Amino acid sequence: MIIGEYRVITKEDRARQKAIYAAHVAKLADAEARQLVAEHFRRRMEIFEKYDPYRDTFPTGLDGGSPDENRELREETKRFDKAWSIYAEKKKNKKVTL
């Protein structure tokens, strides 16, 4: 739904995003990778849902995210990237040693 110049995030939007995340996780064959990605997506959804109540209170909208929300998302992305690089390196080493 669009109100003014910003888009209101609905519960249906969040449910749709969770379904998309679940589909991405289901595509991963490795259990360790599935767990790592599922945890990352769960944390992202927690951050989004934490700031959802504030989205409707700002007249210009909060679709771009508040500075605090963006900071938390960046921190989560850094945490995931670090964990994923360790996993990717292990996966790379497994392929080399047949």
Side-chain angles (χ1 to χ4, degrees):
M1 169 180 5
I2 307 255
I3 295 180
E5 294 184 17
Y6 72 99
R7 185 171 186 278
V8 175
I9 305 298
T10 65
K11 290 182 180 181
E12 292 80 19
D13 294 329
R14 290 292 175 229
R16 191 175 315 109
Q17 188 63 47
K18 285 180 182 179
I20 291 168
Y21 284 167
H24 285 297
V25 171
K27 291 179 186 178
L28 297 170
D30 187 278
E32 186 179 352
R34 262 195 319 270
Q35 180 181 359
L36 182 64
V37 173
E39 179 69 14
H40 172 62
F41 287 154
R42 183 189 63 76
R43 288 181 183 193
R44 284 183 59 84
M45 289 307 296
E46 285 177 355
I47 293 168
F48 289 138
E49 289 170 352
K50 175 181 173 182
Y51 289 95
D52 278 350
Y54 302 108
R55 292 184 202 288
D56 297 335
T57 61
F58 291 91
T60 59
L62 201 56
D63 268 353
S66 73
D68 292 335
E69 180 182 17
N70 290 331
R71 180 186 45 77
E72 288 183 38
L73 289 170
R74 278 192 308 275
E75 288 172 2
E76 171 54 26
T77 300
K78 286 179 187 176
R79 184 205 66 80
F80 174 74
D81 288 345
K82 183 177 180 180
W84 187 259
S85 68
I86 293 168
Y87 170 78
E89 191 63 35
K90 285 195 309 189
K91 191 75 168 171
K92 180 180 166 184
N93 291 338
K94 283 183 183 179
K95 287 183 180 180
V96 172
T97 57
L98 295 174

XYZ file of all heavy atoms in Angstrom:
818
model
N 0.853 -1.163 0.000
C 0.000 0.000 0.000
C 0.905 1.233 0.000
O 1.879 1.293 0.727
C -0.890 -0.031 1.243
C -1.608 1.243 1.457
S -2.710 1.403 2.887
C -2.577 -0.032 3.822
N 0.573 2.213 -0.808
C 1.351 3.447 -0.882
C 0.541 4.563 -0.233
O -0.607 4.776 -0.566
C 1.659 3.818 -2.340
C 2.295 2.665 -3.058
C 2.430 5.116 -2.418
C 3.735 2.739 -3.314
N 1.153 5.263 0.694
C 0.518 6.410 1.333
C 1.467 7.572 1.150
O 2.623 7.498 1.567
C 0.258 6.154 2.829
C -0.744 5.021 3.005
C -0.218 7.425 3.502
C -1.045 4.710 4.449
N 0.979 8.636 0.560
C 1.855 9.774 0.314
C 2.977 9.370 -0.621
O 2.737 8.869 -1.695
N 4.184 9.524 -0.158
C 5.330 9.201 -0.992
C 6.106 7.999 -0.483
O 7.195 7.732 -0.943
C 6.257 10.409 -1.070
C 5.635 11.579 -1.783
C 6.614 12.711 -1.922
O 7.817 12.487 -1.767
O 6.153 13.824 -2.187
N 5.567 7.276 0.475
C 6.297 6.114 0.975
C 5.386 4.897 1.043
O 4.177 5.006 1.039
C 6.946 6.388 2.327
C 5.990 6.470 3.495
C 5.824 5.378 4.324
C 5.297 7.633 3.789
C 4.977 5.436 5.406
C 4.447 7.706 4.869
C 4.295 6.599 5.675
O 3.460 6.661 6.746
N 5.997 3.750 1.098
C 5.270 2.489 1.084
C 5.146 1.971 2.508
O 6.133 1.882 3.228
C 6.046 1.480 0.246
C 5.341 0.191 0.066
C 6.101 -0.659 -0.956
N 5.369 -1.848 -1.264
C 5.384 -2.945 -0.518
N 6.107 -2.984 0.572
N 4.681 -3.989 -0.866
N 3.937 1.626 2.906
C 3.694 1.072 4.225
C 4.027 -0.418 4.182
O 3.585 -1.134 3.288
C 2.221 1.274 4.644
C 1.945 0.599 5.966
C 1.891 2.751 4.728
N 4.827 -0.881 5.117
C 5.198 -2.282 5.202
C 4.098 -2.997 5.998
O 3.816 -2.635 7.141
C 6.563 -2.464 5.904
C 7.644 -1.649 5.210
C 6.934 -3.930 5.981
C 7.910 -2.018 3.782
N 3.498 -3.993 5.386
C 2.409 -4.716 6.035
C 2.891 -6.064 6.553
O 3.977 -6.529 6.224
C 1.258 -4.951 5.042
O 1.723 -5.811 3.997
C 0.760 -3.635 4.457
N 2.029 -6.713 7.340
C 2.344 -8.052 7.829
C 2.437 -9.036 6.671
O 3.225 -9.977 6.710
C 1.286 -8.508 8.829
C 1.354 -7.748 10.132
C 0.332 -8.239 11.128
C 0.454 -7.427 12.405
N -0.478 -7.849 13.421
N 1.671 -8.790 5.623
C 1.731 -9.650 4.440
C 3.088 -9.520 3.746
O 3.643 -10.502 3.258
C 0.604 -9.319 3.463
C -0.793 -9.676 3.959
C -1.374 -8.641 4.924
O -0.881 -7.485 4.950
O -2.304 -9.005 5.660
N 3.625 -8.295 3.727
C 4.956 -8.079 3.158
C 6.009 -8.874 3.935
O 6.882 -9.506 3.341
C 5.346 -6.600 3.181
C 4.486 -5.750 2.268
O 4.028 -6.255 1.227
O 4.273 -4.569 2.604
N 5.920 -8.837 5.245
C 6.877 -9.572 6.075
C 6.709 -11.081 5.887
O 7.684 -11.818 5.805
C 6.722 -9.206 7.555
C 7.187 -7.818 7.853
C 8.686 -7.689 7.687
N 9.066 -6.310 7.870
C 9.847 -5.639 7.056
N 10.370 -6.223 6.016
N 10.132 -4.389 7.279
N 5.470 -11.550 5.793
C 5.225 -12.980 5.575
C 5.784 -13.405 4.215
O 6.386 -14.480 4.086
C 3.739 -13.285 5.662
N 5.595 -12.569 3.206
C 6.119 -12.862 1.871
C 7.642 -12.933 1.902
O 8.253 -13.826 1.321
C 5.645 -11.793 0.880
C 5.905 -12.120 -0.559
C 5.315 -11.074 -1.521
N 3.954 -10.656 -1.192
C 3.616 -9.450 -0.704
N 4.518 -8.522 -0.525
N 2.368 -9.172 -0.424
N 8.263 -12.000 2.631
C 9.722 -11.997 2.727
C 10.221 -13.249 3.443
O 11.225 -13.837 3.051
C 10.217 -10.741 3.453
C 11.707 -10.579 3.418
C 12.238 -10.399 2.009
O 11.700 -9.618 1.245
N 13.272 -11.119 1.666
N 9.528 -13.669 4.493
C 9.918 -14.889 5.200
C 9.828 -16.103 4.281
O 10.687 -16.988 4.323
C 9.042 -15.091 6.440
C 9.386 -14.161 7.573
C 8.496 -14.407 8.773
C 8.820 -13.428 9.882
N 7.975 -13.608 11.059
N 8.797 -16.149 3.441
C 8.654 -17.258 2.495
C 9.791 -17.256 1.470
O 10.322 -18.314 1.116
C 7.304 -17.182 1.796
N 10.173 -16.086 1.009
C 11.293 -15.972 0.065
C 12.577 -16.444 0.737
O 13.357 -17.198 0.143
C 11.430 -14.523 -0.446
C 10.247 -14.169 -1.343
C 12.753 -14.315 -1.177
C 10.134 -12.683 -1.663
N 12.802 -16.015 1.971
C 13.984 -16.444 2.705
C 13.994 -17.966 2.879
O 15.020 -18.619 2.705
C 14.052 -15.771 4.073
C 14.478 -14.318 4.075
C 14.326 -13.535 5.203
C 15.042 -13.717 2.964
C 14.728 -12.217 5.235
C 15.446 -12.393 2.973
C 15.289 -11.646 4.114
O 15.694 -10.333 4.140
N 12.838 -18.539 3.240
C 12.745 -19.988 3.432
C 13.063 -20.734 2.135
O 13.712 -21.781 2.156
C 11.362 -20.365 3.938
N 12.624 -20.198 1.011
C 12.917 -20.830 -0.281
C 14.419 -20.807 -0.567
O 14.971 -21.792 -1.070
C 12.149 -20.130 -1.400
N 15.081 -19.716 -0.236
C 16.537 -19.629 -0.427
C 17.252 -20.667 0.446
O 18.187 -21.321 -0.002
C 17.064 -18.238 -0.091
C 16.770 -17.211 -1.122
N 17.253 -17.265 -2.412
C 16.032 -16.080 -1.058
C 16.832 -16.231 -3.095
N 16.077 -15.481 -2.292
N 16.818 -20.786 1.685
C 17.439 -21.733 2.612
C 17.220 -23.164 2.130
O 18.131 -23.986 2.176
C 16.892 -21.536 4.046
C 17.348 -22.647 4.967
C 17.329 -20.192 4.597
N 16.038 -23.450 1.630
C 15.716 -24.805 1.167
C 16.579 -25.237 -0.013
O 16.817 -26.427 -0.204
C 14.239 -24.892 0.801
N 17.067 -24.294 -0.789
C 17.902 -24.617 -1.953
C 19.295 -25.096 -1.566
O 19.968 -25.739 -2.365
C 18.042 -23.398 -2.869
C 16.780 -23.018 -3.583
C 17.020 -21.788 -4.443
C 15.740 -21.302 -5.067
N 15.966 -20.079 -5.860
N 19.732 -24.784 -0.351
C 21.087 -25.145 0.070
C 21.146 -26.624 0.468
O 20.333 -27.094 1.255
C 21.523 -24.271 1.243
C 21.614 -22.779 0.931
C 21.800 -21.993 2.218
C 22.752 -22.513 -0.034
N 22.120 -27.326 -0.077
C 22.235 -28.759 0.184
C 22.957 -29.043 1.500
O 22.619 -29.985 2.206
C 22.971 -29.436 -0.966
N 23.927 -28.243 1.833
C 24.743 -28.464 3.020
C 24.005 -27.997 4.276
O 23.518 -26.862 4.338
C 26.067 -27.700 2.860
C 27.037 -28.025 3.972
O 26.899 -27.412 5.052
O 27.905 -28.880 3.751
N 23.948 -28.845 5.284
C 23.220 -28.517 6.520
C 23.846 -27.335 7.249
O 23.137 -26.488 7.796
C 23.176 -29.732 7.434
N 25.165 -27.264 7.249
C 25.853 -26.162 7.925
C 25.539 -24.836 7.238
O 25.278 -23.827 7.893
C 27.359 -26.413 7.916
C 28.152 -25.404 8.706
C 29.642 -25.705 8.680
O 30.059 -26.755 8.184
O 30.392 -24.831 9.170
N 25.531 -24.834 5.922
C 25.205 -23.620 5.169
C 23.761 -23.228 5.403
O 23.452 -22.045 5.576
C 25.457 -23.837 3.674
N 22.863 -24.213 5.416
C 21.444 -23.920 5.671
C 21.270 -23.256 7.017
O 20.545 -22.265 7.147
C 20.626 -25.221 5.624
C 19.941 -25.471 4.341
C 18.868 -26.536 4.433
N 19.202 -27.687 5.247
C 19.797 -28.786 4.801
N 20.142 -28.893 3.551
N 20.044 -29.786 5.609
N 21.933 -23.790 8.027
C 21.813 -23.231 9.372
C 22.350 -21.806 9.426
O 21.728 -20.921 10.008
C 22.553 -24.111 10.373
C 22.468 -23.604 11.797
C 23.231 -24.488 12.759
O 23.819 -25.493 12.376
N 23.238 -24.112 14.017
N 23.497 -21.596 8.810
C 24.123 -20.273 8.810
C 23.238 -19.239 8.112
O 22.988 -18.153 8.638
C 25.486 -20.348 8.124
C 26.306 -19.069 8.074
C 26.680 -18.630 9.479
C 27.563 -19.309 7.245
N 22.720 -19.573 6.945
C 21.885 -18.646 6.182
C 20.542 -18.432 6.884
O 20.040 -17.305 6.951
C 21.698 -19.146 4.735
C 20.701 -18.291 3.985
C 23.038 -19.162 4.011
N 19.965 -19.499 7.427
C 18.683 -19.367 8.137
C 18.828 -18.436 9.342
O 17.956 -17.601 9.599
C 18.180 -20.739 8.573
N 19.924 -18.558 10.060
C 20.177 -17.682 11.211
C 20.325 -16.225 10.764
O 19.805 -15.313 11.397
C 21.437 -18.149 11.952
C 21.806 -17.291 13.137
C 20.839 -17.393 14.294
O 20.000 -18.318 14.313
O 20.886 -16.531 15.179
N 21.023 -16.020 9.664
C 21.190 -14.665 9.120
C 19.836 -14.061 8.752
O 19.530 -12.920 9.115
C 22.105 -14.715 7.901
C 22.208 -13.429 7.149
N 22.712 -12.267 7.711
C 21.868 -13.108 5.869
C 22.681 -11.289 6.817
N 22.177 -11.784 5.690
N 19.018 -14.826 8.042
C 17.701 -14.325 7.648
C 16.815 -14.067 8.869
O 16.074 -13.088 8.910
C 17.012 -15.304 6.706
C 17.594 -15.327 5.308
C 17.483 -16.449 4.512
C 18.242 -14.220 4.783
C 18.002 -16.465 3.226
C 18.769 -14.229 3.513
C 18.649 -15.358 2.719
N 16.903 -14.946 9.883
C 16.103 -14.760 11.097
C 16.489 -13.448 11.781
O 15.622 -12.663 12.191
C 16.305 -15.935 12.048
C 15.430 -15.842 13.305
C 15.798 -16.879 14.339
N 17.147 -16.723 14.845
C 17.520 -15.780 15.729
N 16.652 -14.901 16.163
N 18.765 -15.706 16.159
N 17.781 -13.192 11.877
C 18.243 -11.952 12.520
C 17.813 -10.723 11.723
O 17.443 -9.701 12.306
C 19.752 -11.972 12.678
C 20.216 -12.933 13.739
C 21.701 -12.906 13.873
N 22.146 -13.878 14.853
C 23.354 -13.904 15.353
N 24.251 -13.009 14.982
N 23.689 -14.824 16.228
N 17.891 -10.796 10.393
C 17.444 -9.661 9.568
C 15.961 -9.379 9.802
O 15.555 -8.226 9.943
C 17.686 -9.945 8.085
C 19.135 -9.809 7.681
C 19.318 -10.036 6.196
N 18.555 -9.127 5.376
C 18.939 -7.891 5.035
N 20.084 -7.438 5.452
N 18.179 -7.140 4.274
N 15.150 -10.433 9.850
C 13.717 -10.235 10.070
C 13.454 -9.639 11.448
O 12.574 -8.793 11.594
C 12.953 -11.553 9.905
C 12.873 -12.036 8.466
S 12.244 -10.818 7.287
C 10.588 -10.582 7.875
N 14.220 -10.047 12.449
C 14.058 -9.464 13.782
C 14.344 -7.967 13.759
O 13.629 -7.182 14.393
C 14.990 -10.147 14.784
C 14.543 -11.514 15.196
C 15.528 -12.188 16.140
O 16.618 -11.625 16.406
O 15.207 -13.290 16.598
N 15.377 -7.577 13.020
C 15.710 -6.151 12.927
C 14.598 -5.402 12.209
O 14.149 -4.349 12.674
C 17.066 -5.950 12.218
C 18.193 -6.510 13.081
C 17.306 -4.470 11.921
C 19.530 -6.620 12.370
N 14.130 -5.928 11.078
C 13.050 -5.270 10.344
C 11.802 -5.141 11.209
O 11.182 -4.081 11.271
C 12.683 -6.047 9.075
C 13.716 -5.969 7.985
C 14.047 -7.088 7.247
C 14.350 -4.779 7.672
C 14.977 -7.035 6.229
C 15.289 -4.702 6.656
C 15.599 -5.839 5.937
N 11.432 -6.232 11.896
C 10.219 -6.211 12.709
C 10.363 -5.286 13.906
O 9.381 -4.696 14.358
C 9.866 -7.637 13.136
C 9.367 -8.468 11.963
C 9.238 -9.948 12.260
O 9.671 -10.383 13.347
O 8.709 -10.660 11.394
N 11.572 -5.141 14.409
C 11.824 -4.228 15.532
C 11.488 -2.790 15.142
O 10.943 -2.022 15.941
C 13.290 -4.332 15.939
C 13.728 -3.375 17.011
C 15.201 -3.578 17.301
C 15.750 -2.542 18.241
N 17.194 -2.738 18.471
N 11.788 -2.413 13.900
C 11.579 -1.038 13.453
C 10.265 -0.830 12.712
O 9.919 0.301 12.396
C 12.764 -0.579 12.594
C 14.003 -0.363 13.427
C 14.943 -1.368 13.567
C 14.200 0.827 14.105
C 16.064 -1.184 14.365
C 15.313 1.026 14.901
C 16.239 0.009 15.030
O 17.346 0.207 15.823
N 9.514 -1.890 12.438
C 8.234 -1.742 11.751
C 7.265 -0.801 12.459
O 6.605 0.009 11.800
C 7.565 -3.102 11.526
C 8.103 -3.814 10.299
O 8.845 -3.182 9.523
O 7.785 -5.007 10.120
N 7.128 -0.850 13.789
C 6.179 0.067 14.443
C 6.500 1.542 14.210
O 5.617 2.391 14.247
C 6.303 -0.271 15.928
C 6.824 -1.661 15.965
C 7.701 -1.793 14.750
N 7.756 1.854 13.958
C 8.149 3.245 13.766
C 7.908 3.729 12.341
O 7.893 4.910 12.089
C 9.633 3.428 14.109
C 9.941 3.015 15.519
C 10.649 1.845 15.770
C 9.503 3.775 16.597
C 10.917 1.448 17.072
C 9.768 3.388 17.896
C 10.475 2.224 18.123
O 10.736 1.838 19.407
N 7.748 2.814 11.407
C 7.605 3.197 10.000
C 6.377 4.075 9.771
O 6.413 4.989 8.973
C 7.520 1.960 9.106
C 8.809 1.209 9.056
C 8.721 0.049 8.085
N 9.721 -0.937 8.394
C 11.013 -0.794 8.178
N 11.464 0.296 7.614
N 11.860 -1.734 8.501
N 5.287 3.776 10.459
C 4.049 4.523 10.256
C 4.036 5.858 10.985
O 3.159 6.679 10.743
C 2.854 3.686 10.715
C 2.689 2.422 9.908
O 3.152 2.398 8.753
O 2.101 1.458 10.425
N 4.976 6.100 11.880
C 4.939 7.322 12.687
C 5.644 8.500 12.026
O 5.486 9.622 12.473
C 5.580 7.082 14.065
O 6.942 6.713 13.885
C 4.841 5.994 14.826
N 6.399 8.230 10.968
C 7.116 9.306 10.294
C 6.365 9.731 9.038
O 6.005 8.892 8.219
C 8.534 8.862 9.917
C 9.418 8.674 11.110
C 9.504 7.444 11.729
C 10.141 9.732 11.619
C 10.317 7.263 12.833
C 10.958 9.563 12.722
C 11.042 8.321 13.336
N 6.115 11.021 8.873
C 5.342 11.477 7.710
C 6.041 11.195 6.381
O 5.391 10.984 5.371
C 5.194 12.982 7.934
C 6.232 13.349 8.938
C 6.517 12.110 9.734
N 7.355 11.141 6.369
C 8.064 10.853 5.118
C 8.350 9.367 4.978
O 8.924 8.943 3.998
C 9.396 11.619 5.049
O 10.202 11.231 6.167
C 9.156 13.108 5.061
N 7.981 8.584 5.966
C 8.193 7.147 5.895
C 9.568 6.757 6.372
O 10.454 7.584 6.535
N 9.726 5.501 6.600
C 10.986 4.990 7.103
C 11.470 3.862 6.203
O 12.225 3.007 6.607
C 10.783 4.478 8.532
C 11.997 4.337 9.440
C 12.735 5.658 9.539
C 11.585 3.870 10.798
N 11.013 3.853 4.934
C 11.379 2.770 4.033
C 12.878 2.667 3.842
O 13.409 1.587 3.652
C 10.710 2.923 2.667
C 9.391 2.188 2.611
O 9.092 1.470 3.575
O 8.689 2.333 1.620
N 13.570 3.781 3.851
C 15.012 3.740 3.734
C 15.657 3.250 5.011
O 16.830 2.953 5.055
N 14.875 3.138 6.046
C 15.370 2.683 7.330
C 15.897 3.838 8.154
O 16.410 4.813 7.632
N 15.749 3.704 9.445
C 16.318 4.707 10.331
C 17.821 4.477 10.388
O 18.305 3.391 10.053
C 15.709 4.581 11.727
O 16.215 3.433 12.370
N 18.565 5.455 10.834
C 20.016 5.247 10.964
C 20.350 4.055 11.873
O 21.274 3.307 11.600
C 20.512 6.562 11.555
C 19.505 7.571 11.112
C 18.190 6.839 11.103
N 19.558 3.884 12.935
C 19.801 2.757 13.848
C 19.519 1.424 13.156
O 20.263 0.461 13.316
C 18.942 2.875 15.097
C 19.353 4.049 15.975
O 20.530 4.459 15.902
O 18.494 4.562 16.719
N 18.436 1.385 12.390
C 18.097 0.153 11.670
C 19.184 -0.182 10.656
O 19.632 -1.329 10.562
C 16.752 0.299 10.956
C 16.339 -0.937 10.181
C 15.032 -0.758 9.449
O 14.584 0.389 9.250
O 14.454 -1.779 9.052
N 19.612 0.815 9.909
C 20.660 0.587 8.911
C 21.964 0.134 9.564
O 22.657 -0.736 9.038
C 20.892 1.845 8.069
C 19.738 2.119 7.145
O 19.042 1.204 6.720
N 19.518 3.377 6.833
N 22.283 0.713 10.705
C 23.497 0.314 11.428
C 23.403 -1.144 11.855
O 24.337 -1.925 11.671
C 23.709 1.210 12.648
C 24.954 0.853 13.460
C 25.069 1.663 14.751
N 23.834 1.776 15.508
C 23.317 0.803 16.269
N 23.913 -0.343 16.379
N 22.194 1.003 16.930
N 22.251 -1.541 12.414
C 22.071 -2.924 12.850
C 22.126 -3.889 11.669
O 22.703 -4.976 11.779
C 20.747 -3.083 13.596
C 20.762 -2.452 14.970
C 19.469 -2.672 15.723
O 18.887 -3.774 15.615
O 19.036 -1.750 16.432
N 21.547 -3.495 10.542
C 21.596 -4.352 9.355
C 23.028 -4.493 8.837
O 23.441 -5.583 8.423
C 20.678 -3.808 8.259
C 19.185 -3.951 8.522
C 18.390 -3.162 7.503
C 18.778 -5.420 8.520
N 23.784 -3.398 8.853
C 25.194 -3.476 8.427
C 25.999 -4.390 9.347
O 26.812 -5.202 8.884
C 25.832 -2.080 8.402
C 25.532 -1.289 7.162
C 26.427 -0.052 7.053
N 26.435 0.793 8.241
C 25.544 1.740 8.519
N 24.551 1.975 7.685
N 25.640 2.470 9.607
N 25.764 -4.283 10.649
C 26.473 -5.134 11.600
C 26.133 -6.600 11.368
O 27.015 -7.461 11.414
C 26.138 -4.733 13.037
C 26.754 -3.417 13.458
C 26.256 -2.934 14.806
O 25.440 -3.638 15.451
O 26.672 -1.847 15.226
N 24.872 -6.883 11.116
C 24.454 -8.259 10.848
C 25.072 -8.760 9.553
O 25.526 -9.904 9.470
C 22.927 -8.361 10.795
C 22.412 -9.696 10.313
C 22.945 -10.893 11.076
O 23.329 -10.765 12.258
O 23.000 -11.993 10.487
N 25.131 -7.916 8.544
C 25.736 -8.316 7.274
C 27.225 -8.595 7.449
O 27.737 -9.584 6.915
C 25.513 -7.228 6.205
O 24.105 -7.061 6.029
C 26.151 -7.602 4.889
N 27.902 -7.769 8.222
C 29.325 -8.004 8.489
C 29.523 -9.329 9.228
O 30.432 -10.098 8.917
C 29.920 -6.865 9.322
C 30.141 -5.594 8.549
C 30.706 -4.523 9.464
C 30.775 -3.190 8.778
N 31.237 -2.127 9.683
N 28.665 -9.595 10.224
C 28.752 -10.841 10.979
C 28.556 -12.032 10.052
O 29.308 -12.996 10.068
C 27.696 -10.863 12.100
C 27.791 -12.105 12.988
C 26.466 -12.435 13.644
N 25.461 -12.828 12.693
C 25.355 -14.047 12.146
N 26.203 -14.984 12.443
N 24.383 -14.319 11.302
N 27.538 -11.943 9.183
C 27.260 -13.039 8.252
C 28.397 -13.218 7.251
O 28.823 -14.344 6.985
C 25.947 -12.794 7.511
C 25.697 -13.816 6.445
C 25.305 -15.093 6.770
C 25.881 -13.501 5.113
C 25.091 -16.050 5.789
C 25.663 -14.434 4.117
C 25.267 -15.720 4.468
N 28.892 -12.120 6.694
C 29.975 -12.212 5.712
C 31.211 -12.885 6.312
O 31.860 -13.696 5.651
C 30.340 -10.834 5.168
C 29.288 -10.278 4.229
O 28.419 -11.047 3.768
O 29.334 -9.057 3.962
N 31.517 -12.547 7.547
C 32.664 -13.165 8.206
C 32.423 -14.663 8.399
O 33.295 -15.482 8.092
C 32.921 -12.487 9.554
C 34.132 -13.001 10.271
C 34.372 -12.232 11.555
C 35.597 -12.771 12.271
N 35.850 -12.053 13.517
N 31.250 -15.023 8.886
C 30.930 -16.438 9.091
C 30.886 -17.185 7.762
O 31.351 -18.318 7.661
C 29.594 -16.576 9.825
N 30.333 -16.557 6.743
C 30.230 -17.213 5.440
C 31.605 -17.395 4.811
O 31.860 -18.416 4.169
C 29.316 -16.430 4.508
C 29.076 -17.171 3.232
C 29.674 -16.952 2.032
C 28.209 -18.271 3.045
N 29.219 -17.845 1.109
C 28.314 -18.671 1.688
C 27.339 -18.969 3.873
C 27.597 -19.729 1.165
C 26.613 -20.026 3.343
C 26.741 -20.395 2.016
N 32.505 -16.440 4.984
C 33.845 -16.573 4.402
C 34.580 -17.755 5.034
O 35.300 -18.475 4.338
C 34.640 -15.279 4.562
O 34.950 -15.043 5.913
N 34.400 -17.973 6.317
C 34.997 -19.134 6.981
C 34.398 -20.416 6.412
O 35.113 -21.363 6.098
C 34.792 -19.048 8.509
C 35.587 -17.884 9.083
C 35.191 -20.358 9.188
C 35.233 -17.543 10.512
N 33.079 -20.427 6.248
C 32.413 -21.595 5.677
C 32.864 -21.821 4.236
O 33.159 -22.948 3.841
C 30.891 -21.423 5.724
C 30.176 -22.482 4.939
C 30.014 -23.755 5.455
C 29.705 -22.222 3.658
C 29.395 -24.738 4.723
C 29.077 -23.203 2.924
C 28.925 -24.460 3.459
O 28.322 -25.430 2.733
N 32.931 -20.769 3.457
C 33.329 -20.879 2.055
C 34.766 -21.385 1.940
O 35.073 -22.188 1.056
C 33.175 -19.533 1.348
N 35.631 -20.931 2.831
C 37.019 -21.391 2.818
C 37.095 -22.878 3.152
O 37.838 -23.619 2.514
C 37.851 -20.568 3.808
C 39.333 -20.781 3.700
C 39.908 -20.351 2.367
O 39.419 -19.365 1.792
O 40.840 -21.009 1.897
N 36.308 -23.301 4.140
C 36.282 -24.730 4.474
C 35.774 -25.543 3.294
O 36.309 -26.593 2.971
C 35.396 -24.988 5.700
C 36.025 -24.563 6.996
C 35.347 -25.116 8.227
C 33.883 -24.918 8.287
N 33.278 -25.274 9.572
N 34.739 -25.038 2.646
C 34.160 -25.725 1.485
C 35.192 -25.798 0.354
O 35.323 -26.823 -0.305
C 32.906 -24.978 1.026
C 32.083 -25.695 0.036
C 31.309 -26.798 0.711
C 30.276 -27.325 -0.245
N 29.648 -28.519 0.250
N 35.921 -24.713 0.151
C 36.943 -24.656 -0.892
C 38.043 -25.678 -0.605
O 38.498 -26.389 -1.495
C 37.523 -23.248 -0.956
C 38.586 -23.045 -1.995
C 39.064 -21.599 -1.945
C 40.337 -21.421 -2.701
N 40.855 -20.054 -2.567
N 38.461 -25.760 0.657
C 39.502 -26.713 1.043
C 39.046 -28.154 0.884
O 39.840 -29.024 0.560
C 39.979 -26.451 2.463
C 40.751 -25.167 2.582
O 41.285 -24.663 1.600
N 40.799 -24.608 3.787
N 37.776 -28.433 1.125
C 37.247 -29.781 0.935
C 37.304 -30.189 -0.520
O 37.613 -31.322 -0.836
C 35.794 -29.873 1.436
C 35.655 -29.946 2.917
C 34.198 -30.097 3.300
C 33.990 -30.110 4.784
N 32.572 -30.237 5.135
N 37.013 -29.275 -1.422
C 37.020 -29.585 -2.853
C 38.428 -29.881 -3.341
O 38.626 -30.725 -4.189
C 36.429 -28.433 -3.661
C 34.936 -28.309 -3.529
C 34.423 -27.193 -4.404
C 32.919 -27.077 -4.278
N 32.392 -26.003 -5.116
N 39.412 -29.196 -2.779
C 40.786 -29.352 -3.226
C 41.331 -30.704 -2.808
O 42.026 -31.383 -3.563
C 41.673 -28.195 -2.681
C 43.127 -28.463 -2.971
C 41.222 -26.882 -3.270
N 41.031 -31.131 -1.599
C 41.557 -32.407 -1.097
C 40.564 -33.518 -1.394
O 39.697 -33.823 -0.605
C 41.824 -32.317 0.415
O 40.605 -31.955 1.066
C 42.890 -31.291 0.718
N 40.697 -34.132 -2.522
C 39.823 -35.241 -2.901
C 40.410 -36.476 -2.381
O 40.493 -37.417 -2.133
C 39.656 -35.301 -4.417
C 38.946 -34.092 -5.023
C 38.965 -34.208 -6.536
C 37.527 -34.005 -4.518
